[in-house]
């Protein structure tokens, strides 16, 4: 006789686990067991149930004996499906339970469970079992057996697709019979069925979820808050995640794969990337009400840190922020984030300071009573442009903000006009877009400041409409130190079209040559000598200057 293959289903109560058991029971090659470890759970924990004595009198309460003789005992069919509750995996069970067989996890949102949970058992964190499921998932991963995870919501939405995917992950054939069963009690039901299975006994298949959820009792709010992070962690691992508007989008690849597992500072905490979130009541969500800085790390030092913080504080003051963190506090957050990630070079930091969380939604800063929210997002990020071969630009129809509207000297998060200009650049298949001021003179690009060279003289637009960038100011100083003539004046678009050389500057991209604007080749289409000269000077400066990161030790 062929050795039976055991399939372990791990779930929590009211998660469609019984329906899934009925589904597997329809297979012609599978036998099912309904919570074979229930008696052991009751015996070890002393948990009270209305049917406690009946379970203990009809089921073996010796967990290891059940594992050996029942779960992994001989059978008549090829597969044995074991429905387990996470909380029934109690201390003292043999390692064989986890090491042998095929495992998968079934989850369901506590929002769908809690409103009706207490019909049999008072709801508690332990009874919900989500922490237990996370523990099971972690242990299986450590054993090199990362289990498939399916969500009850997906199962209700598209049973066949989810079951086919699960069977594929378990390396078993899918059978159409899994999609339907007869109504009523089943011989495989545990003795607890009269208390828990009344609704599922009325079913003949996986029925769609109710369109709108039941109200959540306010008394269960804290329990929901405790449980959701565990559910969300497992939800992110599901094989298929449904979308409200259609099929799920494929998981995109990251420009730098190492950034998948970064740690981010958010409001005083360092959290994993997928947990790096701000409140929906935060001002940055309510109205883009925030200021930001971009910084770079070179060889264990943060370049121009104090200059960037000066501008951050000026921007926050211009927007009348209150309860702003101190310079020391912000530096500490930056250093802790960099050290936690081990980021000491080739790193870009997006530093954001929002007005903070509101007590209720609305535009008024009077609602901001929690203080500012500080975000330190550090990523492994080389310069984002081609600084060797150069980039192409087009001129956008979207104009740069005038000080009459919103002063560009405030480094704020209201970047929609820059984004619209970038959309134009993308549509033209250019790297970025030049933005003009209200009078038609060049201001900057959608993301960087801009310079030109004509007959050996370097020129850049006034900062009346553009952001007076830190990198811009640094490059202007270098131009003078390199004994080049520098002009800061109004520059028309045609002057850029006919320039000998053009480059852009910004923290994220550093100093980037421009070889074409609006279809006009700049100079001879190659990176010019002045550009290279200033690039070299800038590179040398970044190697020399910067605020050392505490605890960094170059190896």
């Amino acid at each position: 006789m062929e050795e039976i293959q055991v399939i372990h289903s791990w779930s929590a109560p009211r998660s469609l686990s019984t329906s899934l058991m009925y589904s597997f029971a329809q297979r012609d090659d599978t036998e099912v067991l309904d919570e074979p470890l229930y008696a052991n759970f009751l015996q070890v924990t002393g948990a009270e149930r209305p049917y406690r004595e009946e379970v203990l009198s009809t089921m073996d309460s010796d967990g290891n004996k059940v594992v050996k003789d029942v779960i992994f005992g001989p059978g008549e069919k090829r597969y044995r499906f074991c429905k387990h509750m996470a909380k029934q995996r109690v201390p003292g069970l043999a390692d064989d339970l986890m090491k042998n067989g095929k495992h998968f996890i079934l989850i369901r949102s506590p929002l769908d469970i809690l409103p009706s949970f207490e019909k049999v058992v008072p709801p508690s964190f332990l009874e919900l079992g989500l922490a237990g499921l996370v523990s099971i998932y972690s242990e299986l991963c450590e054993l090199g057996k990362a289990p498939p995870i399916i969500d009850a919501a997906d199962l209700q939405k598209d049973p066949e697709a989810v079951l086919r995917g699960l069977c594929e992950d378990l390396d078993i054939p899918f059978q159409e019979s899994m999609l339907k069963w007869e109504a009523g009690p089943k011989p495989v039901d545990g003795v607890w069925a009269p208390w828990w299975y009344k609704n599922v006994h009325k079913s003949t298949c996986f029925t769609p979820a109710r369109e709108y959820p039941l109200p959540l009792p306010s008394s269960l709010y804290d329990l929901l808050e405790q449980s959701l992070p565990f559910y969300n962690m497992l939800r992110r691992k599901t094989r298929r995640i449904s979308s409200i508007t259609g099929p799920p989008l494929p998981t995109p690849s990251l420009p730098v794969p190492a950034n998948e597992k970064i740690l981010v500072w958010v409001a005083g905490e360092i959290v994993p990337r997928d947990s790096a979130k701000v409140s929906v009541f935060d001002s940055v969500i309510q109205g883009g009400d925030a200021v930001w800085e971009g910084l770079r790390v070179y060889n264990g030092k943060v370049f121009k840190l104090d200059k960037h913080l000066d501008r951050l504080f000026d921007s926050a003051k211009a927007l009348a922020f209150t309860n702003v963190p101190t310079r020391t506090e912000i530096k500490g957050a930056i250093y802790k984030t960099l050290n936690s990630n081990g980021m000491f070079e080739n790193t870009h930091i997006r530093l954001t300071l929002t007005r903070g969380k509101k007590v209720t939604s609305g535009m008024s800063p009077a609602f901001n009573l929690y203080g500012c929210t500080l975000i330190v997002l550090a990523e492994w990020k080389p310069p984002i442009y081609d600084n060797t071969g150069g980039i192409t630009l087009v001129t956008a129809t979207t104009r740069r903000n005038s000080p009459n509207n919103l002063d560009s000297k405030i480094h704020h998060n209201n970047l929609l006009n820059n984004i619209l200009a970038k959309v134009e650049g993308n549509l033209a298949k250019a790297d970025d877009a030049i933005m003009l001021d209200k009078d038609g003179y060049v201001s900057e690009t959608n993301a960087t400041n801009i310079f030109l060279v004509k007959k050996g003289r370097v020129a850049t637009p006034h900062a009346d409409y553009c952001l007076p960038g830190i990198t811009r100011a640094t490059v202007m100083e270098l131009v003078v130190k390199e004994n080049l003539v520098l002009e800061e004046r109004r520059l028309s678009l045609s002057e850029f079209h006919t320039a000998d050389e053009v480059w852009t500057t910004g923290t994220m991209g550093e100093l980037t040559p421009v070889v074409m604007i609006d279809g006009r080749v700049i100079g001879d289409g190659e990176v010019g000598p002045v550009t290279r000269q200033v690039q070299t000077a800038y590179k040398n400066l970044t190697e020399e200057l910067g605020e050392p990161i505490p605890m960094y030790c170059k190896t």
Side-chain angles (χ1 to χ4, degrees):
M1 181 185 297
E2 185 178 2
E3 182 179 355
I4 196 165
Q5 295 186 38
V6 177
I7 298 170
H8 302 276
S9 166
W10 295 98
S11 60
R14 306 190 72 78
S15 60
L16 302 189
S17 57
T18 304
S19 295
L20 193 60
M21 179 179 72
Y22 289 174
S23 170
F24 271 83
Q26 307 314 301
R27 298 175 60 98
D28 59 17
D29 57 1
T30 304
E31 60 183 59
V32 302
L33 295 178
D34 191 5
E35 301 182 42
L37 293 168
Y38 208 149
N40 180 68
F41 163 74
L42 294 177
Q43 184 70 40
V44 172
T45 65
E48 290 295 331
R49 293 291 187 272
Y51 41 80
R52 174 185 169 87
E53 295 307 319
E54 187 177 359
V55 171
L56 291 174
S57 64
T58 58
M59 297 179 68
D60 196 329
S61 60
D62 184 336
N64 287 326
K65 185 177 179 185
V66 171
V67 170
K68 179 182 177 182
D69 298 337
V70 179
I71 294 175
F72 293 116
E76 299 298 324
K77 296 191 176 182
R78 184 174 184 185
Y79 303 109
R80 174 176 292 140
F81 178 94
C82 294
K83 171 190 162 192
H84 301 297
M85 294 292 109
K87 62 177 176 285
Q88 293 168 8
R89 185 175 164 271
V90 295
L93 289 173
D95 293 342
D96 289 350
L97 179 65
M98 306 305 291
K99 289 182 177 179
N100 298 328
K102 304 170 185 285
H103 298 258
F104 75 92
I105 291 174
L106 170 65
I107 60 172
R108 192 179 186 191
S109 170
L111 267 174
D112 296 329
I113 297 172
L114 283 171
S116 61
F117 191 95
E118 59 186 345
K119 290 181 179 179
V120 178
V121 178
S124 68
F125 185 72
L126 176 63
E127 290 293 346
L128 282 179
L130 284 163
L133 289 176
V134 171
S135 177
I136 288 167
Y137 175 80
S138 299
E139 182 172 341
L140 289 170
C141 287
E142 289 174 4
L143 291 171
K145 302 175 66 172
I149 301 176
I150 60 174
D151 193 310
D154 297 327
L155 188 57
Q156 289 179 294
K157 183 175 182 180
D158 194 343
E160 182 172 349
V162 172
L163 289 173
R164 283 185 180 276
L166 177 61
C167 289
E168 181 180 331
D169 287 338
L170 295 173
D171 194 26
I172 65 174
F174 170 74
Q175 292 186 5
E176 294 280 350
S177 60
M178 299 176 72
L179 298 173
K180 290 185 179 181
W181 52 85
E182 292 184 1
K186 311 290 188 292
V188 297
D189 289 344
V191 298
W192 48 88
W195 283 268
W196 289 103
Y197 296 176
K198 290 179 181 178
N199 286 333
V200 73
H201 284 164
K202 299 174 184 177
S203 70
T204 59
C205 62
F206 294 102
T207 55
R210 60 186 308 129
E211 186 174 1
Y212 301 106
L214 294 171
L216 177 74
S218 59
S219 61
L220 299 178
Y221 186 89
D222 289 346
L223 184 53
L224 174 68
E225 196 171 35
Q226 295 164 17
S227 302
L228 269 178
F230 294 92
Y231 167 75
N232 289 333
M233 179 267 174
L234 293 169
R235 175 69 175 167
R236 289 193 293 268
K237 307 291 184 181
T238 53
R239 191 179 199 273
R240 290 177 171 82
I241 296 180
S242 59
S243 166
I244 292 176
T245 56
L249 295 173
T251 301
S253 58
L254 301 181
V256 179
N259 288 326
E260 182 182 1
K261 295 184 178 180
I262 58 173
L263 299 168
V264 184
W265 178 284
V266 182
E269 293 183 274
I270 292 180
V271 295
R273 176 188 177 115
D274 286 341
S275 299
K277 300 175 175 67
V278 295
S279 168
V280 294
F281 288 97
D282 198 281
S283 286
V284 73
I285 302 295
Q286 296 274 321
D289 188 6
V291 296
W292 69 282
E293 290 294 322
L295 305 99
R296 270 206 174 276
V297 176
Y298 300 93
N299 194 29
K301 295 176 288 188
V302 185
F303 188 63
K304 298 279 183 177
L305 175 57
D306 279 310
K307 289 286 187 183
H308 282 283
L309 292 184
D310 287 343
R311 187 170 65 183
L312 184 81
F313 288 124
D314 285 346
S315 296
K317 186 174 183 179
L319 293 179
F321 282 14
T322 58
N323 298 309
V324 175
T326 66
R327 185 179 296 259
T328 299
E329 289 170 336
I330 294 177
K331 284 186 176 182
I334 292 171
Y335 297 146
K336 288 174 184 176
T337 304
L338 293 174
N339 274 284
S340 295
N341 284 291
M343 291 178 172
F344 304 115
E345 56 186 322
N346 205 28
T347 298
H348 178 268
I349 303 167
R350 175 83 175 209
L351 182 68
T352 304
L353 186 70
T354 84
R355 195 183 297 272
K357 190 170 64 172
K358 294 177 179 287
V359 294
T360 186
S361 61
M363 293 181 64
S364 174
F367 297 147
N368 292 85
L369 302 178
Y370 295 95
C372 293
T373 301
L374 178 67
I375 302 167
V376 184
L377 171 57
E379 295 180 278
W380 303 107
K381 184 172 288 188
I384 61 172
Y385 302 113
D386 181 356
N387 290 349
T388 302
I391 63 172
T392 64
L393 303 176
V394 294
T395 303
T397 59
T398 304
R399 296 299 174 100
R400 193 65 172 91
N401 286 335
S402 161
N404 289 327
N405 306 111
L406 185 57
D407 194 345
S408 297
K409 293 176 181 60
I410 303 173
H411 205 196
H412 54 78
N413 280 55
N414 273 283
L415 300 173
L416 280 179
N417 68 330
N418 300 69
I419 293 169
L420 289 172
K422 180 63 175 175
V423 169
E424 294 186 60
N426 289 346
L427 291 173
K429 301 188 184 309
D431 294 289
D432 266 336
I434 289 176
M435 301 182 72
L436 309 179
D437 65 25
K438 68 179 182 64
D439 295 320
Y441 290 96
V442 172
S443 173
E444 58 181 351
T445 79
N446 56 274
T448 56
N449 295 121
I450 193 166
F451 291 73
L452 66 76
V453 180
K454 187 70 172 180
K455 296 184 177 179
R457 301 171 71 90
V458 179
T460 192
H462 282 300
D464 295 337
Y465 292 85
C466 73
L467 174 75
I470 306 294
T471 308
R472 172 184 181 270
T474 302
V475 168
M476 291 171 73
E477 293 173 2
L478 289 174
V479 166
V480 174
K481 286 183 179 179
E482 293 293 310
N483 296 315
L484 298 166
V485 177
L486 174 68
E487 299 175 345
E488 187 180 11
R489 62 178 176 83
R490 277 186 156 187
L491 293 167
S492 65
L493 185 59
S494 62
E495 290 182 89
F496 279 90
H497 288 161
T498 58
D500 298 327
E501 302 176 45
V502 175
W503 71 71
T504 65
T505 61
T507 302
M508 192 175 290
E510 299 179 335
L511 199 152
T512 305
V514 177
V515 294
M516 180 176 289
I517 300 175
D518 298 327
R520 280 84 160 181
V521 174
I522 304 303
D524 59 3
E526 302 291 332
V527 181
V530 176
T531 303
R532 293 194 186 281
Q533 180 181 347
V534 181
Q535 276 184 322
T536 300
Y538 185 81
K539 183 177 184 298
N540 292 336
L541 190 67
T542 61
E543 292 176 353
E544 298 168 5
L545 298 183
E547 182 153 338
I549 300 167
M551 300 302 293
Y552 167 69
C553 181
K554 187 174 182 181
T555 57

